Amino acid sequence: MRRIPSQYVASDSQTRAGWAAAMSETVSGVIERITFHNLDNGYCVLRVTARGHREAITVVGHMPTATAGEFIEATGDWVNDRNFGQQFRASRLQATPPHTTAGIARYLGSGLVKGIGPRYAQKIVDVFGDKTLEVIDQSPTFLSQVKGIGPKRIERIRASWAEQKYVRAIMVFLQSYGIGTARAVRIYKTYGENAIELVRANPYRLSTDIWGIGFRTADELAQQLGIPSDSPLRARAAVRHVLREASGHGHVAFPELLTVEQTSELTGIAPEAVNAAIEALRIDEEIIRERMTEPAPGQDDPFADAFLYLKPLFLAELGVARAVVALRTGAHPLPQVDVERALAWVESKMGIAFADAQREAVRAAVTEKFLILTGGPGTGKTTIVRAIIEIFAAKNLRLALCAPTGRAAKRLTESTGREAKTIHRLLEFDAASGNFRRGKENPLDIDLLVVDESSMMDVVLANQLLRAVPPWASLLLVGDIDQLPSVGAGCVLNDLIASGAVGVARLTEVHRQAGASWIIRAAHAVNQGQEPESAPAGGGDFYFVEAPDPPAVIEKLLTMVKERIPARFGLDPLRDVQILSPQVRTELGVLNLNKVLQEAVNPVVPGTKEVQRYSTIYRTGDKVIQTQNNYQREVYNGDIGRVLDIDAVEQFLTVDFDGRPVEYDFGDLDELQLAYAITIHKSQGGEYPAVVIPIHTQHYMMLQRNLLYTGITRGKKLVVLVGSRKALWRAVTNADTARRFSLLAQRIRTLLPEPTD
């Protein structure tokens, strides 16, 4: 039994911390391996070669940064973990750079510095010995004395060493205030060497400038830095946060009453002070107030008083409204045509006979300058698009086809036989300037623009596109209004229809050949509020498989992905099968499912490379999805690729996006998530050979008709729902969709010219 020193027994004034310190032990040694490190909270599991211990020990604790080869001192106690055995649980962990040549070689070879792997680390240490770190820090040009290290590698080492020094300083700064350090690299890349000073001056800028850092984190830091809770700086930041959160939920504008209420609830700031913050932001033109309303006849709209916009969203909505009014006017680009003869000609050329609604859609396209073509699966939208293209092409008019995502553009190319581009490619986005080359001053050289999957366009993207359509051109928007609206702010397609300013062709009849598909039957049943019917065993493409609880759902899901679908349909689990979940979290959410599926379909085998960042293990062969638009890399939110390679020395990971390799620095890996399972929202615009959807009451709040309908319509050859009948019933019968606040429809109507008698 350990003897307690007498000074801790004699005095009643000693604190509990003093007792703990007296009872604690201290171990010190060199980090051999980092088993786990969560940069969000600093928790780490280290294997350490410790003094006085013959074998490496396990040390667990919290520290902002850890690197193999560092010397650590840990104060704490030995515990016997039920799952992992004996560990040293540290209440305090302190690391210092290594001071032995062996430690320095391990430290440099750990991937700490770009351009130095284990081989070069040993070569450098062989030349400079225990002075190595001093040379790299103060005189990196001396590295030219090491064989194989030239000026380019020296510059890369110098820049990487400087970056990691500043990043580590930022990590320590954040950790000292109890803030996770996962975004330290991004903070450094945004603010540079003055990052800590800039953050100290205004910590709320983090929530605006740094992707992945929210208001709550910035607010916690601000309070610890001494910024008063009633500070106008805090109030303005909170208002911005509420409006950004609203836009993240699809709102272009947000009621001022709700903004004040939610800001006050979030911060405890009095409504009067929130109103003052709103007024200050309005004067600075960061936000715009609008009172344009059209309450329903005889009904008072509680949100009709005033709306607040973030300025970019206001300008986007105004731009869309103005463009719609301008594009619907003027002469149609088609020369005078005999519509009936054109219909007969295109039917003969395509070898089909149109249904009445399809004929009306073609008529509308050759008479309306701005037309929306909408309908569900199997109603013939693609056939009508092809027919319209044939008529325009026969008159030698210039055509362009596009879609919001690469997957949707690829599908459009396959269905029409003509090249289709993403909207970003069509508008010639310039990564260097961050702007589109095509716009109002440099419009597209076209007579007809076809936009597929247009329900996915948010108000910002729609504004950029419509600005680039010349006034003489015709515009055809194709989409399914019953699918989920865009991930970004707005409900553009529905608002355009509601405005009454553009032509609308609706296709509702499912054609006989399409009607043979159980997937299409299921989609239309769900859309009509009916439970979908499974195909006969072994004889169809849509099935519901009952599973009572989440563990059973996961078990059946894994069996299908690994065994039954490959055996029955000959589909590859990695390439062809996509799991779609209604939610991100929960046991059946994409985060947990991705971990389970990664181990099931892409386990570690000899030759597999992997890297852990942001609590995710990325492995060669993994399916990954881009989670935000990155214009420099020309990769956009929702793009799916496969991990090709991981370079631990140069610290980058390469992803193949449809045959195009794209590199990511390790510090930018928070832009990627595993994509064995993705949300139904992220699947919009995509089509997959096989889709499996877990559906359970665990997803209760997300079980909505348009969500399930969208998920089912993503499957091409097979769709399987796995879960409970109760959850299926809830999704089918719940047609309530959240209202998206936007004034686009009203704005368009106010800009329309008054009708003349």
Side-chain angles (χ1 to χ4, degrees), residues 593-640:
L593 289 178
N594 271 318
K595 291 180 181 178
V596 172
L597 287 160
Q598 183 188 46
E599 293 306 315
V601 300
N602 190 32
V604 174
V605 296
T608 300
K609 300 177 184 177
E610 62 179 32
V611 60
Q612 181 171 333
R613 285 294 186 277
Y614 309 105
S615 303
T616 298
I617 294 173
Y618 300 90
R619 210 172 273 162
T620 49
D622 273 341
K623 186 192 291 188
V624 291
I625 186 169
Q626 178 76 13
T627 59
Q628 60 167 307
N629 290 337
N630 188 312
Y631 299 110
Q632 281 66 41
R633 291 190 175 99
E634 295 184 40
V635 185
Y636 305 105
N637 190 358
D639 286 352
I640 290 179

Side-chain angles (χ1 to χ4, degrees), residues 534-557:
S534 280
D541 53 12
F542 175 84
Y543 298 95
F544 175 78
V545 177
E546 199 154 1
D549 52 43
V553 172
I554 292 175
E555 182 183 351
K556 288 182 182 291
L557 186 148

Side-chain angles (χ1 to χ4, degrees), residues 305-384:
D305 182 28
F307 288 86
L308 298 178
Y309 287 81
L310 293 169
K311 188 176 181 180
L313 292 179
F314 170 78
L315 294 175
E317 184 179 273
L318 182 61
V320 170
R322 288 173 172 170
V324 168
V325 173
L327 287 171
R328 67 190 292 276
T329 60
H332 197 285
L334 272 174
Q336 194 69 31
V337 295
D338 184 322
V339 177
E340 295 307 315
R341 286 185 63 187
L343 276 165
W345 174 81
V346 78
E347 282 182 322
S348 174
K349 182 174 176 63
M350 295 176 65
I352 57 175
F354 297 141
D356 290 344
Q358 291 179 315
R359 294 174 70 85
E360 288 304 314
V362 176
R363 284 194 186 95
V366 299
T367 55
E368 299 271 2
K369 256 187 106 232
F370 195 142
L371 179 68
I372 293 173
L373 175 63
T374 184
T379 57
K381 293 193 302 294
T382 299
T383 299
I384 297 309

Side-chain angles (χ1 to χ4, degrees), residues 482 521-533 704-706 708-709 712 728-736:
D482 293 316
R521 290 187 200 178
H524 285 277
V526 168
N527 208 26
Q528 293 161 17
Q530 302 167 6
E531 284 196 26
E533 184 180 354
Q704 296 175 345
R705 184 181 298 172
N706 63 349
L708 181 58
Y709 173 78
I712 290 172
L728 179 60
W729 176 86
R730 159 75 181 179
V732 166
T733 56
N734 180 19
D736 297 331

Side-chain angles (χ1 to χ4, degrees), residues 128-284:
F128 299 108
D130 58 8
K131 302 292 185 184
T132 294
L133 299 183
E134 185 179 332
V135 168
I136 294 174
D137 188 47
Q138 298 176 19
S139 307
T141 55
F142 287 4
L143 293 174
S144 61
Q145 298 175 26
V146 179
K147 187 177 180 180
I149 297 184
K152 287 185 178 180
R153 188 178 292 271
I154 289 174
E155 177 55 30
R156 200 155 70 247
I157 291 170
R158 186 204 62 76
S160 179
W161 179 264
E163 176 179 315
Q164 67 87 21
K165 267 208 318 184
Y166 286 113
V167 168
R168 282 173 165 242
I170 293 167
M171 285 179 163
V172 172
F173 166 71
L174 294 174
Q175 186 77 20
S176 67
Y177 291 101
I179 305 299
T181 60
R183 313 296 172 198
V185 172
R186 203 173 288 279
I187 293 171
Y188 171 73
K189 287 184 176 180
T190 303
Y191 300 142
E193 298 174 6
N194 298 320
I196 293 175
E197 289 77 6
L198 290 171
V199 172
R200 280 186 186 278
N202 179 10
Y204 291 107
R205 66 188 303 157
L206 288 172
S207 63
T208 301
D209 299 341
I210 309 300
W211 186 82
I213 294 184
F215 172 80
R216 292 182 187 279
T217 300
D219 192 42
E220 184 181 340
L221 179 58
Q223 304 245 356
Q224 293 193 60
L225 288 171
I227 294 177
S229 60
D230 60 351
S231 163
L233 191 69
R234 182 172 185 246
R236 289 196 292 271
V239 170
R240 288 191 208 96
H241 167 74
V242 167
L243 292 178
R244 281 198 302 270
E245 284 286 293
S247 70
H249 288 99
H251 303 297
V252 182
F254 204 56
E256 186 165 0
L257 289 174
L258 283 182
T259 304
V260 173
E261 179 184 308
Q262 291 186 14
T263 303
S264 188
E265 185 179 321
L266 173 70
T267 61
I269 296 174
E272 298 78 20
V274 175
N275 284 323
I278 289 172
E279 194 60 22
L281 290 169
R282 193 187 65 79
I283 291 170
D284 290 343

Side-chain angles (χ1 to χ4, degrees), residues 424-440:
H424 287 86
R425 276 191 61 211
L426 180 72
L427 300 182
E428 300 174 18
F429 182 80
D430 179 18
S433 66
N435 296 312
F436 293 97
R437 294 192 181 98
R438 294 289 186 173
K440 193 171 183 179

Side-chain angles (χ1 to χ4, degrees), residues 429-457:
F429 182 80
D430 179 18
S433 66
N435 296 312
F436 293 97
R437 294 192 181 98
R438 294 289 186 173
K440 193 171 183 179
E441 304 304 321
N442 182 28
L444 297 165
D445 192 19
I446 56 168
D447 298 301
L448 170 67
L449 176 62
V450 178
V451 187
D452 199 12
E453 295 285 0
S454 54
S455 63
M456 295 179 63
M457 279 199 304

